[in-house]
Amino acid sequence: MRHVVVMTAAASVGLISIFLVDLLSLLYVSRLGDANLTAAVGFATQVMFFSVSICIGLSIAIGALVSRAIGAGDRPAARRFAASGLVHVVLVTAFVSSAAWPLRREILMLFGARGEALDVGATYLAITLPVTVFLGLGMSLAGILRAIGDPRRAMYVTLAGALATAALDPVFIFGFGLGVNGAAIVTIISRIIFVVVGLHGASRKHRLIARPSAAAAIADVPAMMGIAVPAILTNLAAPVAGAYSMRIFSQFGDAVVAAFAIIDRVNPVAFGVLFALSGSVGPIMGQNLGAKLIGRVRQVLTNCFVVAALYVVVVALALRQAAPLVVDLFHAKGETADLVTFFCAYGGPLWLFLGAIFVANAAFNNLGFPFLSTLFNWGRATLGAIPFVTFGAAHYGPEGGYLGLIAGSALFGVGAVVAAYWVTGRLAKNHKDA
């Protein structure tokens, strides 16, 4: 439990700092006094979630391979996997951003963007999509540092970029009068800082990155993609569900989209520890699996579920009480204010079940069952979202759509917990038989 809490706490500082700066960016944009601009950032963020999800999947694969090699005492293999993985990250993220860039307006229109929100969102993406490569490298370098058991330096990767963003956002948005474009430019700067700090920790301090080799990169493709592809597919499920929900909510107008954008920034700050927990527990499980300590793997899983549940209960109660403050901070008015208050009041149950899925995903990805992550995440994003959100919004408006998300997540969250214990039970049986 101590290892889980320490790793999660360190990762939380850096991760929540990113979410907090994203929140501040939207807060600054909302102070411009135009709901269309807030909606534009909301639409663009939903698109960026797809790129972020790909980066997360790649970083999961690198972390899993490096941690297993370290757990097995094979440092040369760990260094080779780190180098090959970073090469794969550059190639994949460059391809994705290049493919999405010319289609950004069409993609935003699919999400329901129109008018000024569409124009501003397209410009924002034109600036930020090309730096997806730096985001992927930074996240992967942080994953390598967590894999070797250095959560402090992994925290520095994201914390450094976040602090730079917090300092520069007001300057570019208000000081230079660049508005939303200023926020996008600062994003570029922060992504570059991610990579610089990450390379310093992983390469100079730990010397955990071998010299990249084309032969090694090609040879490691099966191992890397065997984890990365299911992990990417798994992580793409969340933005798919978010995109569908955004499209449904966009039918009710930009005031509703603005509320959805605000809560999309508030929730990761409030419940960001769950993301850090799922990212931190993977290397712990991977090392214990590499050392064939299956009993510890199961204990780590239980500890994670306990930590996640307790955290959600405490934060959900606090967020419910803080709803008026959130409304005031973003200068939300009318329908936007009402919806933000509603989302703050009823977000807890949604994140309780999402937290269960996050922890279960970490177990699936690091214990050799990545297809289960894909199954449960896509199940929630499709069967657990589309019919529930559609029905709820059609009969009870935006509030009904949000309650639909909760109902669908409950169904798959419970199933993911059961499956996670089935996986550890199967590993224990196989280990005993061997």
Side-chain angles (χ1 to χ4, degrees), residues 60 64 68 226-227 230-231 234 278 281-282 285 289 297 301 305 356-377 412-424 427:
I60 286 173
R68 288 180 191 176
I227 300 174
T234 296
S278 63
V281 72
M285 290 184 176
L289 179 63
V297 173
L301 181 66
F305 282 132
I357 294 175
F358 292 164
V359 172
N361 284 344
F364 300 147
N365 287 329
N366 288 274
L367 300 180
F369 295 82
F371 69 94
L372 286 177
S373 291
T374 305
L375 176 65
F376 279 101
N377 269 36
F412 285 89
V414 172
V417 172
V418 173
Y421 279 107
W422 173 82
V423 164
T424 56
L427 287 174

Short mmCIF file of all heavy atoms in Angstrom, two decimals, residues 60 64 68 226-227 230-231 234 278 281-282 285 289 297 301 305 356-377 412-424 427:
data_model
loop_
_atom_site.label_atom_id
_atom_site.label_comp_id
_atom_site.label_asym_id
_atom_site.label_seq_id
_atom_site.Cartn_x
_atom_site.Cartn_y
_atom_site.Cartn_z
N ILE A 60 2.29 3.63 -22.06
CA ILE A 60 1.98 2.42 -21.30
C ILE A 60 2.83 1.25 -21.77
O ILE A 60 3.39 0.48 -20.97
CB ILE A 60 0.49 2.07 -21.42
CG1 ILE A 60 -0.37 3.04 -20.59
CG2 ILE A 60 0.22 0.63 -20.97
CD1 ILE A 60 -1.85 2.87 -20.80
N ALA A 64 5.61 -0.68 -19.55
CA ALA A 64 5.43 -2.11 -19.27
C ALA A 64 6.68 -2.90 -19.66
O ALA A 64 7.16 -3.74 -18.89
CB ALA A 64 4.22 -2.63 -20.01
N ARG A 68 9.24 -4.59 -16.86
CA ARG A 68 9.42 -6.05 -16.85
C ARG A 68 10.89 -6.42 -16.96
O ARG A 68 11.37 -7.31 -16.26
CB ARG A 68 8.64 -6.67 -18.01
CG ARG A 68 7.14 -6.67 -17.83
CD ARG A 68 6.47 -7.32 -19.05
NE ARG A 68 5.03 -7.12 -19.06
CZ ARG A 68 4.24 -7.52 -20.04
NH1 ARG A 68 4.75 -8.15 -21.09
NH2 ARG A 68 2.94 -7.30 -19.98
N GLY A 226 2.47 -5.02 -29.51
CA GLY A 226 1.60 -6.00 -28.87
C GLY A 226 0.91 -5.44 -27.64
O GLY A 226 -0.19 -5.87 -27.27
N ILE A 227 1.56 -4.49 -26.99
CA ILE A 227 0.96 -3.80 -25.84
C ILE A 227 0.36 -2.48 -26.26
O ILE A 227 -0.74 -2.10 -25.83
CB ILE A 227 2.02 -3.57 -24.73
CG1 ILE A 227 2.59 -4.90 -24.25
CG2 ILE A 227 1.41 -2.80 -23.57
CD1 ILE A 227 3.74 -4.75 -23.28
N PRO A 230 -3.35 -2.52 -28.38
CA PRO A 230 -4.53 -2.66 -27.51
C PRO A 230 -4.69 -1.50 -26.54
O PRO A 230 -5.82 -1.08 -26.25
CB PRO A 230 -4.26 -3.98 -26.76
CG PRO A 230 -3.30 -4.72 -27.63
CD PRO A 230 -2.44 -3.66 -28.25
N ALA A 231 -3.55 -0.99 -26.03
CA ALA A 231 -3.64 0.13 -25.08
C ALA A 231 -4.17 1.39 -25.77
O ALA A 231 -4.97 2.13 -25.19
CB ALA A 231 -2.27 0.41 -24.47
N THR A 234 -7.74 0.96 -26.41
CA THR A 234 -8.42 1.11 -25.13
C THR A 234 -8.61 2.57 -24.79
O THR A 234 -9.70 3.02 -24.42
CB THR A 234 -7.61 0.42 -24.01
OG1 THR A 234 -7.56 -0.98 -24.28
CG2 THR A 234 -8.26 0.64 -22.65
N SER A 278 -3.67 4.80 -11.99
CA SER A 278 -3.63 3.77 -13.04
C SER A 278 -2.30 3.77 -13.77
O SER A 278 -1.81 2.72 -14.18
CB SER A 278 -4.78 3.99 -14.03
OG SER A 278 -4.65 5.23 -14.70
N VAL A 281 0.55 2.35 -11.04
CA VAL A 281 0.45 0.97 -10.58
C VAL A 281 0.96 -0.02 -11.63
O VAL A 281 1.38 -1.13 -11.29
CB VAL A 281 -1.01 0.63 -10.19
CG1 VAL A 281 -1.89 0.52 -11.43
CG2 VAL A 281 -1.08 -0.65 -9.39
N GLY A 282 0.95 0.39 -12.89
CA GLY A 282 1.41 -0.51 -13.95
C GLY A 282 2.83 -1.00 -13.74
O GLY A 282 3.09 -2.21 -13.75
N MET A 285 3.06 -3.48 -10.83
CA MET A 285 2.60 -4.81 -11.23
C MET A 285 3.59 -5.48 -12.17
O MET A 285 3.86 -6.68 -12.06
CB MET A 285 1.23 -4.71 -11.90
CG MET A 285 0.09 -4.35 -10.98
SD MET A 285 -1.50 -4.37 -11.85
CE MET A 285 -2.62 -4.03 -10.50
N LEU A 289 5.39 -8.96 -11.54
CA LEU A 289 5.14 -10.04 -12.49
C LEU A 289 6.47 -10.57 -13.03
O LEU A 289 6.66 -11.79 -13.14
CB LEU A 289 4.27 -9.55 -13.65
CG LEU A 289 3.96 -10.59 -14.73
CD1 LEU A 289 3.15 -11.74 -14.16
CD2 LEU A 289 3.19 -9.94 -15.89
N VAL A 297 1.07 -8.97 -6.72
CA VAL A 297 0.28 -8.37 -7.80
C VAL A 297 -1.18 -8.23 -7.37
O VAL A 297 -1.81 -7.18 -7.56
CB VAL A 297 0.38 -9.21 -9.09
CG1 VAL A 297 -0.57 -8.67 -10.15
CG2 VAL A 297 1.80 -9.21 -9.63
N LEU A 301 -3.47 -4.77 -6.59
CA LEU A 301 -4.77 -4.52 -7.23
C LEU A 301 -5.81 -4.13 -6.19
O LEU A 301 -6.55 -3.14 -6.36
CB LEU A 301 -5.22 -5.77 -7.99
CG LEU A 301 -6.56 -5.67 -8.73
CD1 LEU A 301 -6.48 -4.66 -9.86
CD2 LEU A 301 -6.97 -7.04 -9.26
N PHE A 305 -7.88 -0.42 -5.74
CA PHE A 305 -9.34 -0.25 -5.71
C PHE A 305 -9.77 0.48 -4.44
O PHE A 305 -10.67 1.35 -4.48
CB PHE A 305 -10.05 -1.60 -5.80
CG PHE A 305 -10.08 -2.19 -7.19
CD1 PHE A 305 -9.73 -3.51 -7.41
CD2 PHE A 305 -10.46 -1.42 -8.28
CE1 PHE A 305 -9.77 -4.05 -8.70
CE2 PHE A 305 -10.49 -1.94 -9.55
CZ PHE A 305 -10.15 -3.26 -9.76
N ALA A 356 -12.64 2.56 -11.22
CA ALA A 356 -12.54 1.10 -11.22
C ALA A 356 -12.04 0.59 -12.56
O ALA A 356 -11.20 -0.32 -12.63
CB ALA A 356 -13.90 0.49 -10.89
N ILE A 357 -12.53 1.19 -13.64
CA ILE A 357 -12.09 0.78 -14.98
C ILE A 357 -10.62 1.13 -15.19
O ILE A 357 -9.85 0.34 -15.76
CB ILE A 357 -12.97 1.44 -16.06
CG1 ILE A 357 -14.41 0.92 -15.97
CG2 ILE A 357 -12.40 1.18 -17.45
CD1 ILE A 357 -15.37 1.59 -16.92
N PHE A 358 -10.19 2.31 -14.72
CA PHE A 358 -8.79 2.71 -14.87
C PHE A 358 -7.84 1.72 -14.20
O PHE A 358 -6.83 1.31 -14.77
CB PHE A 358 -8.56 4.10 -14.26
CG PHE A 358 -9.24 5.22 -14.99
CD1 PHE A 358 -9.39 6.46 -14.39
CD2 PHE A 358 -9.73 5.04 -16.27
CE1 PHE A 358 -10.01 7.50 -15.06
CE2 PHE A 358 -10.36 6.07 -16.95
CZ PHE A 358 -10.50 7.31 -16.34
N VAL A 359 -8.16 1.36 -12.96
CA VAL A 359 -7.30 0.43 -12.23
C VAL A 359 -7.30 -0.94 -12.90
O VAL A 359 -6.25 -1.58 -13.05
CB VAL A 359 -7.77 0.30 -10.77
CG1 VAL A 359 -7.00 -0.80 -10.04
CG2 VAL A 359 -7.59 1.63 -10.04
N ALA A 360 -8.47 -1.40 -13.29
CA ALA A 360 -8.56 -2.70 -13.97
C ALA A 360 -7.75 -2.68 -15.27
O ALA A 360 -7.06 -3.65 -15.61
CB ALA A 360 -10.01 -3.05 -14.25
N ASN A 361 -7.80 -1.57 -16.00
CA ASN A 361 -7.03 -1.45 -17.24
C ASN A 361 -5.54 -1.60 -16.99
O ASN A 361 -4.82 -2.23 -17.77
CB ASN A 361 -7.30 -0.10 -17.90
CG ASN A 361 -8.65 -0.04 -18.60
OD1 ASN A 361 -9.27 -1.06 -18.85
ND2 ASN A 361 -9.10 1.15 -18.90
N ALA A 362 -5.06 -0.98 -15.92
CA ALA A 362 -3.64 -1.09 -15.59
C ALA A 362 -3.25 -2.54 -15.35
O ALA A 362 -2.18 -2.99 -15.78
CB ALA A 362 -3.33 -0.26 -14.35
N ALA A 363 -4.13 -3.28 -14.68
CA ALA A 363 -3.87 -4.71 -14.45
C ALA A 363 -3.87 -5.48 -15.77
O ALA A 363 -2.96 -6.27 -16.04
CB ALA A 363 -4.92 -5.28 -13.50
N PHE A 364 -4.87 -5.24 -16.60
CA PHE A 364 -4.96 -5.95 -17.87
C PHE A 364 -3.73 -5.69 -18.75
O PHE A 364 -3.15 -6.61 -19.32
CB PHE A 364 -6.22 -5.53 -18.63
CG PHE A 364 -7.50 -5.81 -17.91
CD1 PHE A 364 -8.60 -4.96 -18.06
CD2 PHE A 364 -7.63 -6.90 -17.07
CE1 PHE A 364 -9.79 -5.21 -17.41
CE2 PHE A 364 -8.82 -7.16 -16.40
CZ PHE A 364 -9.91 -6.31 -16.57
N ASN A 365 -3.33 -4.41 -18.85
CA ASN A 365 -2.23 -4.04 -19.75
C ASN A 365 -0.88 -4.58 -19.30
O ASN A 365 -0.02 -4.87 -20.12
CB ASN A 365 -2.15 -2.51 -19.88
CG ASN A 365 -3.27 -1.94 -20.71
OD1 ASN A 365 -3.78 -2.57 -21.62
ND2 ASN A 365 -3.68 -0.73 -20.38
N ASN A 366 -0.69 -4.69 -18.00
CA ASN A 366 0.62 -5.07 -17.48
C ASN A 366 0.72 -6.54 -17.08
O ASN A 366 1.81 -7.00 -16.74
CB ASN A 366 0.98 -4.20 -16.27
CG ASN A 366 1.32 -2.78 -16.66
OD1 ASN A 366 2.46 -2.49 -17.00
ND2 ASN A 366 0.33 -1.90 -16.65
N LEU A 367 -0.38 -7.25 -17.13
CA LEU A 367 -0.36 -8.66 -16.74
C LEU A 367 -0.61 -9.60 -17.92
O LEU A 367 -0.83 -10.79 -17.74
CB LEU A 367 -1.41 -8.92 -15.63
CG LEU A 367 -1.21 -8.11 -14.35
CD1 LEU A 367 -2.30 -8.45 -13.33
CD2 LEU A 367 0.17 -8.37 -13.75
N GLY A 368 -0.58 -9.04 -19.13
CA GLY A 368 -0.67 -9.89 -20.31
C GLY A 368 -2.07 -10.10 -20.85
O GLY A 368 -2.29 -11.02 -21.64
N PHE A 369 -3.04 -9.24 -20.47
CA PHE A 369 -4.40 -9.36 -20.97
C PHE A 369 -4.90 -8.02 -21.52
O PHE A 369 -5.98 -7.55 -21.15
CB PHE A 369 -5.34 -9.84 -19.85
CG PHE A 369 -5.06 -11.22 -19.34
CD1 PHE A 369 -4.06 -11.44 -18.40
CD2 PHE A 369 -5.77 -12.31 -19.82
CE1 PHE A 369 -3.80 -12.72 -17.94
CE2 PHE A 369 -5.52 -13.58 -19.36
CZ PHE A 369 -4.52 -13.79 -18.41
N PRO A 370 -4.13 -7.40 -22.40
CA PRO A 370 -4.52 -6.06 -22.88
C PRO A 370 -5.83 -6.04 -23.65
O PRO A 370 -6.50 -5.00 -23.70
CB PRO A 370 -3.35 -5.67 -23.80
CG PRO A 370 -2.74 -6.97 -24.23
CD PRO A 370 -2.88 -7.88 -23.05
N PHE A 371 -6.22 -7.20 -24.22
CA PHE A 371 -7.48 -7.21 -24.97
C PHE A 371 -8.68 -6.93 -24.06
O PHE A 371 -9.72 -6.43 -24.51
CB PHE A 371 -7.66 -8.55 -25.69
CG PHE A 371 -7.92 -9.71 -24.77
CD1 PHE A 371 -9.22 -10.11 -24.49
CD2 PHE A 371 -6.87 -10.41 -24.18
CE1 PHE A 371 -9.46 -11.18 -23.65
CE2 PHE A 371 -7.12 -11.48 -23.34
CZ PHE A 371 -8.41 -11.87 -23.06
N LEU A 372 -8.56 -7.26 -22.78
CA LEU A 372 -9.65 -7.00 -21.84
C LEU A 372 -9.83 -5.50 -21.62
O LEU A 372 -10.95 -5.01 -21.43
CB LEU A 372 -9.41 -7.71 -20.51
CG LEU A 372 -9.60 -9.23 -20.51
CD1 LEU A 372 -9.26 -9.81 -19.15
CD2 LEU A 372 -11.04 -9.58 -20.89
N SER A 373 -8.71 -4.75 -21.63
CA SER A 373 -8.81 -3.29 -21.54
C SER A 373 -9.60 -2.75 -22.72
O SER A 373 -10.47 -1.89 -22.56
CB SER A 373 -7.41 -2.66 -21.54
OG SER A 373 -6.73 -2.97 -20.36
N THR A 374 -9.26 -3.25 -23.90
CA THR A 374 -9.97 -2.81 -25.10
C THR A 374 -11.45 -3.15 -25.00
O THR A 374 -12.32 -2.33 -25.33
CB THR A 374 -9.36 -3.49 -26.34
OG1 THR A 374 -7.96 -3.22 -26.38
CG2 THR A 374 -10.02 -2.98 -27.61
N LEU A 375 -11.74 -4.34 -24.54
CA LEU A 375 -13.13 -4.81 -24.44
C LEU A 375 -13.95 -3.91 -23.51
O LEU A 375 -15.03 -3.44 -23.89
CB LEU A 375 -13.15 -6.25 -23.94
CG LEU A 375 -14.54 -6.86 -23.67
CD1 LEU A 375 -15.32 -6.98 -24.98
CD2 LEU A 375 -14.40 -8.23 -23.01
N PHE A 376 -13.44 -3.66 -22.32
CA PHE A 376 -14.22 -2.90 -21.34
C PHE A 376 -14.30 -1.42 -21.69
O PHE A 376 -15.34 -0.79 -21.51
CB PHE A 376 -13.65 -3.10 -19.94
CG PHE A 376 -14.09 -4.38 -19.30
CD1 PHE A 376 -13.26 -5.49 -19.27
CD2 PHE A 376 -15.36 -4.50 -18.75
CE1 PHE A 376 -13.67 -6.67 -18.70
CE2 PHE A 376 -15.79 -5.67 -18.17
CZ PHE A 376 -14.94 -6.77 -18.14
N ASN A 377 -13.19 -0.84 -22.18
CA ASN A 377 -13.24 0.57 -22.53
C ASN A 377 -14.16 0.85 -23.71
O ASN A 377 -14.94 1.80 -23.70
CB ASN A 377 -11.83 1.09 -22.83
CG ASN A 377 -11.15 1.62 -21.59
OD1 ASN A 377 -11.33 1.09 -20.51
ND2 ASN A 377 -10.36 2.65 -21.74
N PHE A 412 -20.20 -1.26 -16.80
CA PHE A 412 -18.90 -1.78 -17.21
C PHE A 412 -17.85 -1.64 -16.12
O PHE A 412 -16.87 -2.40 -16.10
CB PHE A 412 -18.45 -1.07 -18.49
CG PHE A 412 -19.19 -1.55 -19.71
CD1 PHE A 412 -20.37 -0.95 -20.11
CD2 PHE A 412 -18.73 -2.63 -20.43
CE1 PHE A 412 -21.08 -1.41 -21.21
CE2 PHE A 412 -19.42 -3.10 -21.53
CZ PHE A 412 -20.59 -2.49 -21.93
N GLY A 413 -18.02 -0.71 -15.19
CA GLY A 413 -17.08 -0.59 -14.08
C GLY A 413 -17.11 -1.81 -13.17
O GLY A 413 -16.06 -2.35 -12.79
N VAL A 414 -18.30 -2.26 -12.85
CA VAL A 414 -18.43 -3.46 -12.01
C VAL A 414 -17.85 -4.68 -12.74
O VAL A 414 -17.14 -5.50 -12.15
CB VAL A 414 -19.91 -3.69 -11.65
CG1 VAL A 414 -20.08 -5.03 -10.94
CG2 VAL A 414 -20.42 -2.56 -10.76
N GLY A 415 -18.15 -4.79 -14.02
CA GLY A 415 -17.62 -5.91 -14.79
C GLY A 415 -16.10 -5.91 -14.85
O GLY A 415 -15.46 -6.97 -14.80
N ALA A 416 -15.49 -4.73 -14.95
CA ALA A 416 -14.03 -4.63 -15.03
C ALA A 416 -13.37 -5.10 -13.74
O ALA A 416 -12.33 -5.76 -13.76
CB ALA A 416 -13.62 -3.19 -15.34
N VAL A 417 -13.98 -4.77 -12.59
CA VAL A 417 -13.44 -5.21 -11.31
C VAL A 417 -13.44 -6.74 -11.22
O VAL A 417 -12.45 -7.37 -10.82
CB VAL A 417 -14.24 -4.60 -10.14
CG1 VAL A 417 -13.80 -5.22 -8.82
CG2 VAL A 417 -14.08 -3.09 -10.11
N VAL A 418 -14.55 -7.34 -11.59
CA VAL A 418 -14.66 -8.80 -11.56
C VAL A 418 -13.61 -9.43 -12.47
O VAL A 418 -12.92 -10.40 -12.10
CB VAL A 418 -16.08 -9.24 -11.99
CG1 VAL A 418 -16.15 -10.77 -12.11
CG2 VAL A 418 -17.11 -8.74 -10.98
N ALA A 419 -13.45 -8.88 -13.67
CA ALA A 419 -12.49 -9.44 -14.62
C ALA A 419 -11.06 -9.29 -14.13
O ALA A 419 -10.21 -10.17 -14.36
CB ALA A 419 -12.66 -8.75 -15.97
N ALA A 420 -10.74 -8.17 -13.44
CA ALA A 420 -9.38 -7.96 -12.94
C ALA A 420 -9.00 -9.02 -11.92
O ALA A 420 -7.87 -9.55 -11.94
CB ALA A 420 -9.27 -6.56 -12.33
N TYR A 421 -9.93 -9.37 -11.04
CA TYR A 421 -9.62 -10.42 -10.06
C TYR A 421 -9.56 -11.80 -10.72
O TYR A 421 -8.82 -12.68 -10.28
CB TYR A 421 -10.65 -10.39 -8.93
CG TYR A 421 -10.36 -9.34 -7.90
CD1 TYR A 421 -11.13 -8.18 -7.81
CD2 TYR A 421 -9.27 -9.47 -7.04
CE1 TYR A 421 -10.84 -7.19 -6.89
CE2 TYR A 421 -8.98 -8.49 -6.10
CZ TYR A 421 -9.76 -7.36 -6.03
OH TYR A 421 -9.46 -6.39 -5.11
N TRP A 422 -10.32 -11.98 -11.78
CA TRP A 422 -10.23 -13.24 -12.52
C TRP A 422 -8.84 -13.39 -13.14
O TRP A 422 -8.25 -14.48 -13.13
CB TRP A 422 -11.29 -13.27 -13.62
CG TRP A 422 -11.15 -14.47 -14.53
CD1 TRP A 422 -11.59 -15.73 -14.31
CD2 TRP A 422 -10.50 -14.48 -15.82
NE1 TRP A 422 -11.27 -16.55 -15.37
CE2 TRP A 422 -10.59 -15.82 -16.30
CE3 TRP A 422 -9.86 -13.53 -16.59
CZ2 TRP A 422 -10.06 -16.20 -17.54
CZ3 TRP A 422 -9.32 -13.90 -17.81
CH2 TRP A 422 -9.43 -15.22 -18.29
N VAL A 423 -8.29 -12.28 -13.66
CA VAL A 423 -6.96 -12.32 -14.27
C VAL A 423 -5.89 -12.68 -13.24
O VAL A 423 -5.05 -13.56 -13.48
CB VAL A 423 -6.63 -10.95 -14.92
CG1 VAL A 423 -5.13 -10.82 -15.21
CG2 VAL A 423 -7.42 -10.76 -16.20
N THR A 424 -5.91 -12.01 -12.08
CA THR A 424 -4.90 -12.31 -11.07
C THR A 424 -5.06 -13.73 -10.54
O THR A 424 -4.08 -14.40 -10.21
CB THR A 424 -4.97 -11.30 -9.90
OG1 THR A 424 -6.29 -11.29 -9.34
CG2 THR A 424 -4.63 -9.91 -10.39
N LEU A 427 -3.46 -16.04 -13.10
CA LEU A 427 -2.01 -15.99 -13.03
C LEU A 427 -1.49 -16.78 -11.83
O LEU A 427 -0.49 -17.49 -11.92
CB LEU A 427 -1.54 -14.54 -12.93
CG LEU A 427 -1.66 -13.69 -14.20
CD1 LEU A 427 -1.30 -12.24 -13.90
CD2 LEU A 427 -0.75 -14.24 -15.29
#
